Amino acid sequence: MPGSRTGRPPAQRAVRRPVAPGPPGDNAVRRLYTRVHRAWDRPLTAYYLILGGSLLITVLGLVMVYSASQITALQKSLPGTYFFRKQLLAAAIGAGLLLAASRMPVKLHRALAYPILAGAVFLMALVQVPGIGVAVNGNQNWIALGGSFQIQPSEFGKLALVLWGADLIARKQDKRLLTQWKHMLVPLVPVAFMLLGLIMLGGDMGTAIILSAILFGLLWLAGAPTRLFVGVLSVAGAIGLFLIKSSENRMARLQCLGATDPGPGDSCWQAVHGIYALASGGIFGSGLGASVEKWGQLPEAHTDFIFAVTGEELGLAGTLSVLALFAALGYAGIRVAGRTEDPFVRYAAGGVTTWITAQAVVNIGAVLGLLPIAGVPLPLFSYGGSALLPTMFAIGLLIAFARDEPAARAALSMRQPRFGRKRAGGAGSGREPRRWNTMRRRASVARSSGER
């Protein structure tokens, strides 16, 4: 064996042991998980989820409104596209509200809280004035605007409670008053109960449930003690139980939970036919526009029970897609509320997320027969401009808050247009032409004097 330069025998290298191969596909799964985790943790993830999810829900809702409302329109001697055109107009106006809300600074949102609350209270009180308020399906919660256009002020009451409640709690937190129970409850709970009273004067129990969910969401985010939270919840539950027992219509809806037969007098007709529509859809549905239940069998097919028509025409795949979009929207809202340092943004984002997710749960639960039929639309999906406009403004709030995160602001500031302007002076100016601005450009680093 030849010796080394030092005269010592060369050290023998350690023999590498072969690495035991892992399960097939383990590395691929791990790489996929790593990529998804990194993409999920990016600063702009919440921004893209809110923007993309809300737009997809709205567009899919327009398609389903067009499909589900044709028969209803023809039965009323109206053009088949009547409800679709109205919803499309509302979506266009809502898109403008969404864009405006997403570009507003947080201070302007806080400044709008009191005017929106005052306007909502005024309109909700105006509903009860004879000759102005209009009753629809037994609930007097509408105001006629002329022609076929109506507005439901209670839908704007949800937005008013979110903005005003978030601003109120944020100001009290800045003054460190939330440790006292009277400042936690007053005036938030009395004002919320005033809105609930105005809504219940018209008999709209469903909207009152969503407004109550927003109130409890704000109290939970504000850190209300358990005893205080349970106390307010018990009072609201007792009032709700009294209102349910005092109405035969509400008691009948409660008795239709899990019904598989219309029952005597067809009291559970809507609930049962909603189940029929879902059951006949199968995995991929009967095809867009091929619903049978919308031919006069399923009441409110384009409003409260549009999810049932979606299940019949698009099947389990369509309904799961809708659920996934709402889940992504809810996750993004929670993420925005959890990552911000601004108290108002935290409470407003949490209130909007509670509003949209609670209303989606109530609507879908009623269609599935798991909850009583509350008569609330599926957010961004069902027909109804009065519900669509404030909801899209609330989505604009979430987008503005997602853009306002420090990491998101830094990521957006680093983004440059793919095609930028060249530096003044072309080839004849003697200057080297500037490269086009791209997202992959990096800042030039000064080299040391010894580097070549």
Side-chain angles (χ1 to χ4, degrees):
M1 178 181 298
S4 62
R5 295 181 180 179
T6 58
R8 298 178 182 178
Q12 295 183 355
R13 297 181 179 178
V15 180
R16 295 182 179 179
R17 297 180 180 180
V19 180
D26 180 64
N27 294 333
V29 172
R30 184 174 300 177
R31 287 196 301 268
L32 179 61
Y33 171 78
T34 303
R35 290 180 181 178
V36 172
H37 182 72
R38 289 178 179 175
W40 200 254
D41 201 45
R42 288 178 179 175
L44 294 176
T45 298
Y47 169 74
Y48 288 128
L49 283 178
I50 296 170
L51 180 61
S54 59
L55 290 180
L56 286 175
I57 294 173
T58 305
V59 172
L60 183 58
L62 287 172
V63 174
M64 293 311 304
V65 165
Y66 176 69
S67 175
S69 64
Q70 290 182 0
I71 306 304
T72 304
L74 294 176
Q75 288 175 345
K76 296 181 179 181
S77 300
L78 297 171
T81 60
Y82 175 78
F83 294 105
F84 169 74
R85 285 180 292 164
K86 292 184 64 176
Q87 186 73 357
L88 184 61
L89 175 62
I93 299 175
L97 293 176
L98 184 149
L99 182 61
S102 65
R103 295 296 180 177
M104 289 181 185
V106 175
K107 291 183 179 180
L108 184 55
H109 287 304
R110 300 187 69 167
L112 290 176
Y114 282 87
I116 292 178
L117 177 65
V121 171
F122 174 75
L123 291 177
M124 291 168 67
L126 202 62
V127 168
Q128 306 304 323
V129 177
I132 297 179
V134 178
V136 177
N137 295 331
N139 295 335
Q140 187 167 346
N141 284 307
W142 298 80
I143 295 178
L145 299 179
S148 60
F149 292 95
Q150 297 175 345
I151 186 174
Q152 188 177 4
S154 57
E155 293 291 340
F156 295 88
K158 303 173 187 177
L159 177 63
L161 181 60
V162 168
L163 285 177
W164 176 80
D167 178 70
L168 175 69
I169 299 175
R171 286 189 289 108
K172 290 195 173 188
Q173 179 176 333
D174 292 338
K175 298 179 181 179
R176 300 182 179 180
L177 298 175
L178 293 181
T179 55
Q180 306 176 29
W181 69 269
K182 60 180 180 180
H183 286 287
M184 179 74 71
L185 297 181
V186 180
L188 176 63
V189 175
V191 170
F193 277 20
M194 177 189 65
L195 295 175
L196 290 172
L198 291 174
I199 292 173
M200 289 308 301
L201 283 177
D204 191 356
M205 187 73 177
T207 304
I209 292 174
I210 306 304
L211 207 69
S212 301
I214 296 174
L215 171 62
F216 293 131
L218 290 175
L219 289 176
W220 180 270
L221 291 169
T226 305
R227 291 179 297 176
L228 186 64
F229 190 84
V230 172
V232 177
L233 184 61
S234 301
V235 172
I239 296 175
L241 185 61
F242 170 76
L243 293 175
I244 291 175
K245 287 189 174 182
S246 61
S247 173
E248 295 182 0
N249 184 29
R250 299 187 188 117
M251 285 297 298
R253 292 185 178 186
L254 189 62
Q255 294 173 358
C256 292
L257 287 177
T260 57
D261 185 84
D266 293 334
S267 58
C268 299
W269 179 273
Q270 187 179 24
V272 170
H273 279 270
I275 298 296
Y276 290 168
L278 291 171
S280 59
I283 302 297
F284 298 105
S286 58
L288 191 62
S291 171
V292 176
E293 291 293 332
K294 68 181 181 183
W295 287 76
Q297 299 296 323
L298 180 62
E300 306 298 335
H302 61 297
T303 55
D304 301 343
F305 271 69
I306 193 171
F307 189 75
V309 179
T310 303
E312 185 179 5
E313 296 187 351
L314 303 182
L316 182 64
T319 54
L320 289 181
S321 300
V322 174
L323 291 176
L325 290 174
F326 276 109
L329 194 59
Y331 166 80
I334 294 174
R335 175 169 169 166
V336 171
R339 294 194 173 191
T340 183
E341 298 295 335
D342 190 336
F344 172 78
V345 173
R346 182 185 309 114
Y347 299 133
V352 171
T353 305
T354 303
W355 163 15
I356 295 177
T357 54
Q359 188 164 328
V361 167
V362 170
N363 178 276
I364 296 174
V367 174
L368 296 176
L370 303 176
L371 295 174
I373 299 175
V376 296
L378 190 58
L380 302 172
F381 202 83
S382 297
Y383 169 79
S386 295
L388 184 62
L389 295 182
T391 306
M392 294 192 74
F393 187 89
I395 294 296
L397 285 178
L398 289 181
I399 294 175
F401 298 156
R403 290 169 57 95
D404 198 53
E405 290 183 11
R409 285 203 308 266
L412 288 173
S413 63
M414 292 178 63
R415 293 177 56 183
Q416 298 180 3
R418 186 177 298 273
F419 298 102
R421 293 181 302 175
K422 290 185 178 181
R423 182 178 298 178
S429 63
R431 297 181 180 180
E432 182 181 356
R434 186 179 181 180
R435 296 181 180 179
W436 293 101
N437 294 329
T438 64
M439 294 179 61
R440 296 187 177 182
R441 291 192 59 189
R442 297 292 184 267
S444 58
V445 181
R447 296 179 178 181
S448 60
S449 59
E451 184 179 358
R452 295 182 179 178

